[in-house]
mmCIF file of all heavy atoms in Angstrom:
data_model
loop_
_atom_site.group_PDB
_atom_site.id
_atom_site.type_symbol
_atom_site.label_atom_id
_atom_site.label_comp_id
_atom_site.label_asym_id
_atom_site.label_seq_id
_atom_site.Cartn_x
_atom_site.Cartn_y
_atom_site.Cartn_z
ATOM 1 N N MET D 1056 102.904 126.152 107.119
ATOM 2 C CA MET D 1056 102.244 125.253 106.190
ATOM 3 C C MET D 1056 101.127 124.480 106.889
ATOM 4 O O MET D 1056 100.051 124.248 106.301
ATOM 5 C CB MET D 1056 103.266 124.286 105.593
ATOM 6 C CG MET D 1056 102.706 123.380 104.512
ATOM 7 S SD MET D 1056 104.051 122.450 103.712
ATOM 8 C CE MET D 1056 103.108 121.248 102.782
ATOM 9 N N ALA D 1057 101.343 124.066 108.110
ATOM 10 C CA ALA D 1057 100.303 123.361 108.864
ATOM 11 C C ALA D 1057 99.087 124.249 109.075
ATOM 12 O O ALA D 1057 97.940 123.785 108.982
ATOM 13 C CB ALA D 1057 100.863 122.897 110.209
ATOM 14 N N ILE D 1058 99.323 125.507 109.351
ATOM 15 C CA ILE D 1058 98.216 126.460 109.515
ATOM 16 C C ILE D 1058 97.421 126.566 108.221
ATOM 17 O O ILE D 1058 96.183 126.476 108.203
ATOM 18 C CB ILE D 1058 98.753 127.835 109.950
ATOM 19 C CG1 ILE D 1058 99.340 127.752 111.363
ATOM 20 C CG2 ILE D 1058 97.657 128.896 109.878
ATOM 21 C CD1 ILE D 1058 100.125 128.991 111.778
ATOM 22 N N SER D 1059 98.130 126.745 107.120
ATOM 23 C CA SER D 1059 97.478 126.912 105.818
ATOM 24 C C SER D 1059 96.695 125.672 105.414
ATOM 25 O O SER D 1059 95.540 125.766 104.954
ATOM 26 C CB SER D 1059 98.531 127.244 104.760
ATOM 27 O OG SER D 1059 97.970 127.278 103.473
ATOM 28 N N GLN D 1060 97.277 124.501 105.576
ATOM 29 C CA GLN D 1060 96.607 123.282 105.141
ATOM 30 C C GLN D 1060 95.407 122.944 106.008
ATOM 31 O O GLN D 1060 94.384 122.461 105.495
ATOM 32 C CB GLN D 1060 97.606 122.118 105.123
ATOM 33 C CG GLN D 1060 98.638 122.218 104.008
ATOM 34 C CD GLN D 1060 99.513 120.993 103.906
ATOM 35 O OE1 GLN D 1060 99.746 120.286 104.892
ATOM 36 N NE2 GLN D 1060 100.035 120.712 102.715
ATOM 37 N N ASN D 1061 95.501 123.168 107.306
ATOM 38 C CA ASN D 1061 94.344 122.905 108.162
ATOM 39 C C ASN D 1061 93.204 123.873 107.863
ATOM 40 O O ASN D 1061 92.031 123.487 107.895
ATOM 41 C CB ASN D 1061 94.744 122.967 109.631
ATOM 42 C CG ASN D 1061 95.241 121.635 110.152
ATOM 43 O OD1 ASN D 1061 94.463 120.753 110.505
ATOM 44 N ND2 ASN D 1061 96.564 121.472 110.176
ATOM 45 N N LYS D 1062 93.539 125.107 107.549
ATOM 46 C CA LYS D 1062 92.495 126.046 107.132
ATOM 47 C C LYS D 1062 91.847 125.576 105.831
ATOM 48 O O LYS D 1062 90.624 125.649 105.670
ATOM 49 C CB LYS D 1062 93.086 127.442 106.952
ATOM 50 C CG LYS D 1062 93.386 128.179 108.251
ATOM 51 C CD LYS D 1062 93.940 129.574 107.954
ATOM 52 C CE LYS D 1062 94.155 130.370 109.227
ATOM 53 N NZ LYS D 1062 94.716 131.732 108.944
ATOM 54 N N GLY D 1063 92.687 125.119 104.902
ATOM 55 C CA GLY D 1063 92.162 124.624 103.638
ATOM 56 C C GLY D 1063 91.245 123.424 103.819
ATOM 57 O O GLY D 1063 90.270 123.258 103.079
ATOM 58 N N GLY D 1064 91.523 122.602 104.797
ATOM 59 C CA GLY D 1064 90.702 121.421 105.041
ATOM 60 C C GLY D 1064 89.312 121.725 105.540
ATOM 61 O O GLY D 1064 88.412 120.876 105.452
ATOM 62 N N LEU D 1065 89.087 122.914 106.080
ATOM 63 C CA LEU D 1065 87.767 123.266 106.602
ATOM 64 C C LEU D 1065 86.688 123.228 105.524
ATOM 65 O O LEU D 1065 85.511 123.051 105.819
ATOM 66 C CB LEU D 1065 87.817 124.657 107.247
ATOM 67 C CG LEU D 1065 88.606 124.743 108.563
ATOM 68 C CD1 LEU D 1065 88.752 126.198 109.001
ATOM 69 C CD2 LEU D 1065 87.925 123.917 109.651
ATOM 70 N N GLU D 1066 87.112 123.376 104.264
ATOM 71 C CA GLU D 1066 86.139 123.340 103.162
ATOM 72 C C GLU D 1066 85.425 121.992 103.097
ATOM 73 O O GLU D 1066 84.246 121.913 102.730
ATOM 74 C CB GLU D 1066 86.867 123.610 101.851
ATOM 75 C CG GLU D 1066 85.964 123.689 100.632
ATOM 76 C CD GLU D 1066 86.743 124.008 99.371
ATOM 77 O OE1 GLU D 1066 87.798 124.671 99.470
ATOM 78 O OE2 GLU D 1066 86.302 123.584 98.301
ATOM 79 N N LEU D 1067 86.129 120.921 103.443
ATOM 80 C CA LEU D 1067 85.497 119.610 103.447
ATOM 81 C C LEU D 1067 84.322 119.558 104.416
ATOM 82 O O LEU D 1067 83.306 118.907 104.154
ATOM 83 C CB LEU D 1067 86.515 118.541 103.851
ATOM 84 C CG LEU D 1067 87.539 118.084 102.805
ATOM 85 C CD1 LEU D 1067 88.608 117.236 103.474
ATOM 86 C CD2 LEU D 1067 86.853 117.295 101.718
ATOM 87 N N PHE D 1068 84.462 120.236 105.522
ATOM 88 C CA PHE D 1068 83.424 120.185 106.558
ATOM 89 C C PHE D 1068 82.249 121.100 106.232
ATOM 90 O O PHE D 1068 81.087 120.744 106.442
ATOM 91 C CB PHE D 1068 84.034 120.556 107.912
ATOM 92 C CG PHE D 1068 85.113 119.626 108.344
ATOM 93 C CD1 PHE D 1068 86.432 119.830 107.964
ATOM 94 C CD2 PHE D 1068 84.836 118.524 109.128
ATOM 95 C CE1 PHE D 1068 87.433 118.971 108.338
ATOM 96 C CE2 PHE D 1068 85.829 117.649 109.522
ATOM 97 C CZ PHE D 1068 87.141 117.868 109.129
ATOM 98 N N SER D 1069 82.554 122.266 105.713
ATOM 99 C CA SER D 1069 81.497 123.239 105.444
ATOM 100 C C SER D 1069 80.693 122.904 104.193
ATOM 101 O O SER D 1069 79.511 123.237 104.107
ATOM 102 C CB SER D 1069 82.083 124.649 105.315
ATOM 103 O OG SER D 1069 83.014 124.695 104.247
ATOM 104 N N HIS D 1070 81.325 122.199 103.210
ATOM 105 C CA HIS D 1070 80.637 121.920 101.956
ATOM 106 C C HIS D 1070 80.425 120.427 101.719
ATOM 107 O O HIS D 1070 79.291 119.972 101.575
ATOM 108 C CB HIS D 1070 81.408 122.522 100.779
ATOM 109 C CG HIS D 1070 81.485 124.017 100.813
ATOM 110 N ND1 HIS D 1070 82.609 124.690 101.233
ATOM 111 C CD2 HIS D 1070 80.569 124.967 100.491
ATOM 112 C CE1 HIS D 1070 82.391 125.995 101.157
ATOM 113 N NE2 HIS D 1070 81.164 126.191 100.715
ATOM 114 N N ASP D 1071 81.502 119.656 101.679
ATOM 115 C CA ASP D 1071 81.408 118.264 101.243
ATOM 116 C C ASP D 1071 80.572 117.401 102.181
ATOM 117 O O ASP D 1071 79.710 116.628 101.735
ATOM 118 C CB ASP D 1071 82.811 117.668 101.103
ATOM 119 C CG ASP D 1071 83.655 118.409 100.081
ATOM 120 O OD1 ASP D 1071 83.808 119.628 100.229
ATOM 121 O OD2 ASP D 1071 84.188 117.778 99.153
#
Side-chain angles (χ1 to χ4, degrees):
M1056 185 172 168
I1058 293 169
S1059 174
Q1060 289 187 332
N1061 272 279
K1062 285 181 176 179
L1065 290 172
E1066 184 178 332
L1067 283 169
F1068 299 88
S1069 60
H1070 296 101
D1071 300 56

